Amino acid sequence: MDVFFYWKDFNEDLKAGRVGSFRSNRDKLAELKDGAPDNIWLFKTPKGHKGRVQLLARLRWTDTPVKPVVREPDQSYIFYDPEHASSVRFSDSATEGAIDAASAWVRLHFPTAVRSNFQGENGQQALRGPMIKELERLANSLSTEPFYTPPPKP
């Protein structure tokens, strides 16, 4: 099993160094963890493309944090390893063709999430079986680069 995750503030969070975890609803997190996920697939709406999505990255799921996390009371967290070899960004996913392909895939598998604008739990979905294979085929047509390289230590 894998996880679909809608990351609205992707660029801002990366620039601020907020990597390694996402907030999640406790019940949704329990549902996802029960499926023993391998990867988290990140999507967002590209600027100027309302109603469409871009496949941003694939991250390696972890059950425990690998980076420091500032935890908020009564919050649950999804953890990922931003430096894992299989955690990659799709560097050419902003092309019209790539956005069209990602949008068609999401509309096919998660029409309710699209209609709700990925709000709340609609932005986090379990991926199983053929859905993952289709997404992997889409991803294989894109170029990759490491998801995150930590800044050099002084």
Side-chain angles (χ1 to χ4, degrees):
M1 187 196 102
D2 282 354
V3 173
F4 168 99
F5 190 90
Y6 184 83
W7 193 352
K8 180 182 175 187
D9 299 320
F10 177 77
N11 292 323
E12 295 83 359
D13 287 345
L14 287 183
K15 285 178 189 169
R18 292 186 294 262
V19 296
S21 65
F22 304 116
R23 286 187 300 180
S24 181
N25 170 285
R26 184 175 316 231
D27 293 334
K28 179 55 92 170
L29 178 59
E31 172 194 330
L32 296 173
K33 274 184 137 179
D34 284 348
D38 294 317
N39 298 299
I40 304 166
W41 296 83
L42 301 180
F43 292 81
K44 79 169 197 140
T45 300
K47 190 172 183 169
H49 291 274
K50 186 176 180 181
R52 299 173 72 201
V53 294
Q54 175 183 354
L55 174 60
L56 299 170
R58 181 189 65 229
L59 304 174
R60 188 61 157 176
W61 173 286
T62 67
D63 289 328
T64 57
V66 297
K67 296 276 186 200
V69 177
V70 177
R71 295 182 189 238
E72 296 177 23
D74 299 322
Q75 286 292 316
S76 297
Y77 294 88
I78 293 171
F79 301 112
Y80 64 91
D81 185 347
E83 297 174 40
H84 192 278
S86 66
S87 291
V88 296
R89 277 195 229 196
F90 299 106
S91 54
D92 56 351
S93 66
T95 66
E96 284 299 315
I99 291 170
D100 287 344
S103 299
W105 182 86
V106 170
R107 280 192 300 270
L108 174 67
H109 294 291
F110 302 111
T112 302
V114 173
R115 283 191 300 276
S116 71
N117 205 27
F118 307 100
Q119 296 295 312
E121 288 185 30
N122 286 300
Q124 301 171 23
Q125 303 286 337
L127 302 174
R128 292 184 172 87
M131 270 194 264
I132 296 172
K133 296 297 180 200
E134 291 169 13
L135 188 52
E136 287 171 346
R137 276 194 297 276
L138 191 155
N140 286 338
S141 70
L142 301 171
S143 300
T144 61
E145 61 188 36
F147 176 74
Y148 180 76
T149 305
K153 294 181 181 180

